[in-house]
């Protein structure tokens, strides 16, 4: 696995096309970049993973991460993007994100990267999910499993309910973002469901020290 690389620039652009250069733990227009890391999985794909926090007093939606990878001379190699895992995002909430660098031809060339976040103000937020209990284990094959139960506190069905795990090593650094749907994935009002998140990357399994769980639905 590659060592963590520092994010050179974070520019956060809102729907009015404002932008500004940021570093880790700075914020503008309501989004704060908490962490970013460049990692490589067991299939030799690179990922830019991280956490972003909503610092505004309103809910945000349609949040996308746009990453540019750079070589040692800061020449652009490629552009990649992904939606964040938790959306809409309420005030003070965090969301993990995982941008897959799907072109392995750049593996040996990547030296730096930039991250850009775009978002809009949300009108409503249907997510009201609570994780009740969790357990985890590393099995003899090197796979790590996170299991638990989640409750839907809404008076409507929680559709396509997803639980997301942000994994940390002993230094507190992010090493992976994993997710799975609840069983059942459509949870009736005020009902519970189970979930199991399998971490099938044998590189990450043995070095997981702790994790943070997030939930999302549609």
């Amino acid at each position: 696995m590659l060592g963590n690389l520092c994010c050179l620039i974070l520019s956060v652009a809102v729907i009015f096309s404002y932008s500004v250069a940021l570093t880790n733990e700075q914020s503008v227009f309501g989004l704060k970049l908490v962490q970013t890391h460049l990692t490589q999985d067991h299939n030799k794909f690179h990922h830019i993973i991280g956490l972003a926090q909503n610092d505004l007093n309103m809910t945000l939606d349609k949040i996308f991460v746009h990453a540019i990878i750079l070589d040692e001379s800061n020449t652009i190699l490629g552009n990649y993007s992904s939606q964040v895992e938790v959306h809409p995002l309420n005030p003070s909430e965090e969301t993990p994100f995982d941008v897959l660098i799907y072109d392995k031809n750049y593996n040996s060339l990547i030296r730096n990267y930039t991250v850009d976040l775009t978002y809009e103000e949300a009108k409503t937020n249907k997510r009201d999910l609570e994780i009740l209990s969790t357990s985890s284990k590393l099995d003899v094959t090197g796979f790590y499993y996170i299991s638990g139960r989640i409750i839907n506190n809404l008076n409507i069905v929680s559709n396509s309910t997803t639980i997301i795990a942000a994994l940390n090593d002993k230094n507190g650094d992010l090493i992976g973002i994993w997710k799975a749907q609840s069983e059942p994935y459509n949870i009736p009002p005020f009902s519970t469901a189970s979930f199991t998140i399998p971490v099938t990357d044998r590189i990450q399994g043995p070095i997981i020290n702790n994790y943070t769980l997030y939930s999302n639905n549609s």
Side-chain angles (χ1 to χ4, degrees):
M1 183 177 294
L2 296 180
N4 295 331
L5 299 181
C6 294
C7 178
L8 294 182
I9 300 172
L10 167 70
S11 70
V12 177
V14 296
I15 55 177
F16 302 110
S17 299
Y18 295 116
S19 64
V20 66
L22 294 178
T23 58
N24 282 10
E25 297 187 354
Q26 289 184 314
S27 64
V28 68
F29 304 124
L31 276 176
K32 179 172 69 176
L33 182 70
V34 179
Q35 286 194 59
T36 63
H37 295 283
L38 178 66
T39 66
Q40 180 175 289
D41 64 29
H42 67 295
N43 291 316
K44 301 190 184 303
F45 284 106
H46 281 72
H47 301 250
I48 296 174
I49 60 176
L51 298 172
Q53 185 176 43
N54 178 6
D55 276 356
L56 278 178
N57 190 28
M58 64 181 181
T59 300
L60 307 177
D61 201 1
K62 298 183 180 178
I63 307 169
F64 287 86
V65 183
H66 310 279
I68 297 174
I69 54 173
L70 309 166
D71 65 13
E72 61 184 359
S73 61
N74 286 333
T75 300
I76 294 176
L77 298 172
N79 298 270
Y80 303 84
S81 63
S82 178
Q83 190 172 25
V84 299
E85 298 294 346
V86 179
H87 51 84
L89 192 66
N90 293 322
S92 300
E93 284 187 335
E94 282 187 353
T95 177
F97 59 83
D98 183 347
V99 181
L100 172 65
I101 312 302
Y102 50 81
D103 193 336
K104 293 182 181 179
N105 292 326
Y106 297 136
N107 279 9
S108 62
L109 301 176
I110 302 172
R111 294 295 179 271
N112 298 304
Y113 60 89
T114 66
V115 174
D116 177 83
L117 294 166
T118 59
Y119 62 86
E120 297 179 4
E121 180 180 358
K123 301 304 181 183
T124 60
N125 180 12
K126 296 181 180 179
R127 177 170 42 82
D128 189 2
L129 303 167
E130 180 184 357
I131 296 172
L132 299 176
S133 61
T134 61
S135 62
S136 59
K137 66 177 182 179
L138 179 67
D139 70 13
V140 294
T141 66
F143 290 169
Y144 192 91
Y145 295 91
I146 301 170
S147 300
R149 295 193 64 79
I150 186 169
I151 185 171
N152 174 19
N153 290 318
L154 291 168
N155 59 6
I156 59 174
V157 174
S158 173
N159 294 309
S160 300
T161 310
T162 304
I163 299 87
I164 307 101
L167 311 178
N168 298 92
D169 63 15
K170 64 180 180 180
N171 298 317
D173 293 329
L174 276 177
I175 57 174
I177 307 296
W178 295 79
K179 60 185 177 181
Q181 287 192 315
S182 64
E183 300 174 13
Y185 61 88
N186 293 330
I187 310 175
F190 309 109
S191 299
T192 62
S194 61
F195 65 87
T196 296
I197 303 173
V199 179
T200 56
D201 189 333
R202 290 187 175 92
I203 295 175
Q204 295 180 17
I207 62 173
I208 297 171
N209 185 62
N210 54 49
Y211 54 85
T212 303
L213 296 179
Y214 305 83
S215 60
N216 199 61
N217 60 4
S218 60

